[in-house]
């Protein structure tokens, strides 16, 4: 499957007579209403932060790009059947708007100990154009639960189980080409002072996407995520090389008696890391920014 050009002209237009693109992907952090407190946005007018105003603009932006696959972060929602919280259930409004425009999707809110959050909370979603794709399978990944299960001692379990991040992974079949494709959406914690935690979260989410792809013939994987990371970080190196040595500075855990989770069996010798012990993924991923622009934007 080949990507379509981006609307702002970052990708050169295809030559005349070229085959039409197969798929386009858009990733969009909506900025949840519950996070728009005035202290965080002192220069924004309150009317511009209001959810009804932003919802209209966000749907218009999505319509402008009309992506085949849409990954959304910070989509605020409430527990199923929650009473008296309808106005705060923004997932319902976004879901209705997208379905009326030809999309189907899967959504998951943050979890606590693998269980549904009892009140309003943010989440992630993957949508796809039903005219272009059909759903084969989907997986919701409660990241903290995955990490807790991979820890060998109680202090490590408490440390890596504090988060509430979740990943949504879907396996789709392209209707015209008949080919499968896996799409991933997640939002890593903004724990910038604990980059090792972000690395573990990224590993849990992207490993799940790779496992789903393996169940569908080793198909391609695309990811639209808010990774709260930059080039040079441990997360970026892990994803773009498929391997991160334990000697990387971001693997140095600054917490007493806490050990990194055992995330998958590492190969006995990893050439990408000079043969030293490493955290590995089943495959490496290519940055869309680097592929289109020739380099990362930062």
């Amino acid at each position: 499957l080949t990507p379509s050009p981006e609307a702002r002209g970052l990708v050169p237009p295809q030559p005349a007579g070229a085959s039409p693109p197969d798929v386009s992907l858009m990733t969009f952090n909506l900025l949840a209403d519950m996070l728009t407190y005035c202290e965080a946005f002192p220069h924004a007018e309150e009317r511009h932060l209001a959810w009804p105003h932003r919802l209209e603009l966000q749907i218009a932006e999505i319509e402008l790009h009309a992506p085949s696959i849409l990954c959304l972060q910070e989509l605020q929602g409430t527990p199923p059947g929650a009473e008296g919280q309808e106005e705060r259930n923004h997932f319902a409004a976004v879901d209705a708007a997208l379905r009326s425009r030809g999309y189907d999707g899967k959504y998951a809110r943050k979890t606590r100990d693998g269980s549904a959050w009892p009140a309003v909370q943010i989440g992630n979603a993957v949508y796809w154009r039903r005219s272009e794709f059909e759903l084969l399978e989907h997986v919701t990944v409660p990241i903290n639960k995955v990490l807790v299960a991979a820890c060998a001692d109680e202090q490590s379990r408490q440390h890596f189980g504090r988060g509430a991040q979740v990943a949504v992974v879907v396996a789709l079949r392209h209707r015209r080409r008949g080919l499968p494709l896996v799409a991933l959406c997640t939002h890593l914690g903004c724990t910038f002072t604990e980059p090792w935690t972000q690395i573990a979260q990224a590993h849990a989410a992207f490993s799940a996407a790779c496992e789903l792809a393996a169940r569908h013939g080793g198909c391609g994987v695309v990811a639209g995520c808010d990774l709260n990371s930059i080039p040079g970080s441990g997360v970026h190196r892990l994803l773009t090389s498929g391997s991160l040595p334990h000697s990387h500075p971001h693997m140095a855990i600054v917490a007493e008696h806490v050990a990194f989770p055992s995330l998958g069996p590492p190969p006995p010798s990893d050439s990408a890391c000079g043969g030293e012990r490493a955290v590995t993924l089943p495959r490496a991923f290519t940055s869309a920014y680097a592929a289109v622009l020739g380099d990362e934007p930062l």
Side-chain angles (χ1 to χ4, degrees):
L1 297 175
T2 57
S4 65
E6 202 276 336
R8 286 171 293 181
L10 294 177
V11 178
Q14 291 192 317
S19 300
D22 295 309
V23 61
S24 59
L25 181 143
M26 176 179 179
T27 182
F28 197 176
N29 185 318
L30 300 178
L31 178 57
D33 186 59
M34 62 185 291
L35 301 178
T36 57
Y37 42 90
C38 59
E39 292 84 359
F41 302 94
H43 303 295
E45 295 183 29
E46 185 175 342
R47 63 190 178 94
H48 292 152
L49 293 174
W51 171 250
H53 173 73
R54 293 195 297 114
L55 173 62
E56 181 179 351
L57 295 177
Q58 288 166 350
I59 296 301
E61 184 76 6
I62 293 169
E63 284 190 299
L64 171 66
H65 298 284
S68 308
I69 299 172
L70 172 65
C71 296
L72 300 176
Q73 304 89 37
E74 288 195 20
L75 178 51
Q76 178 177 309
T78 57
E83 297 182 0
Q85 300 188 53
E86 290 80 7
E87 289 187 359
R88 305 192 72 190
N89 186 13
H90 299 163
F91 159 68
V94 171
D95 187 67
L98 292 176
R99 290 184 185 278
S100 70
R101 289 163 172 78
Y103 287 91
D104 287 329
K106 292 294 181 180
Y107 169 68
R109 298 186 313 134
K110 280 186 172 183
T111 63
R112 176 183 288 166
D113 299 326
S115 303
W117 207 278
V120 63
Q121 188 51 270
I122 62 175
N124 306 309
V126 179
Y127 284 88
W128 57 91
R129 282 196 173 277
R130 68 176 71 99
S131 62
E132 297 183 41
F133 287 97
E134 63 175 326
L135 179 66
L136 298 175
E137 184 181 357
H138 95 279
V139 177
T140 297
V141 185
I143 292 176
N144 65 330
K145 188 174 181 180
V146 172
L147 298 183
V148 165
C151 290
D153 59 86
E154 185 57 29
Q155 284 186 274
S156 299
R157 284 190 285 269
Q158 290 183 6
H159 181 85
F160 286 98
R162 294 169 301 156
Q165 276 62 38
V166 65
V168 178
V169 193
V170 300
L172 307 170
R173 177 182 287 117
H174 193 262
R175 294 185 186 275
R176 180 169 59 85
R177 297 286 303 279
L179 298 175
L181 179 68
V182 165
L184 161 68
C185 181
T186 194
H187 187 180
L188 302 188
C190 55
T191 51
F192 306 115
T193 58
E194 295 183 9
W196 60 87
T197 300
Q198 294 178 313
I199 292 165
Q201 292 173 350
H203 189 284
F206 280 78
S207 289
C210 292
E211 290 171 8
L212 186 57
R215 293 203 294 271
H216 293 274
C219 67
V221 178
V222 293
C225 308
D226 185 336
L227 299 176
N228 273 317
S229 303
I230 61 174
S233 68
V235 168
H236 185 268
R237 175 164 176 181
L238 172 65
L239 297 182
T240 56
S241 70
S243 188
L244 182 69
H246 278 253
S247 60
H248 191 281
H250 285 179
M251 287 293 290
I253 299 178
V254 186
E256 291 187 359
H257 310 298
V258 172
F260 197 79
S262 298
L263 298 174
S269 177
D270 187 344
S271 59
C273 295
E276 66 175 290
R277 185 165 170 254
V279 177
T280 61
L281 286 170
R283 65 173 75 182
F285 291 80
T286 300
S287 163
Y289 283 115
V292 172
L293 302 177
D295 201 356
E296 300 288 8
L298 296 175

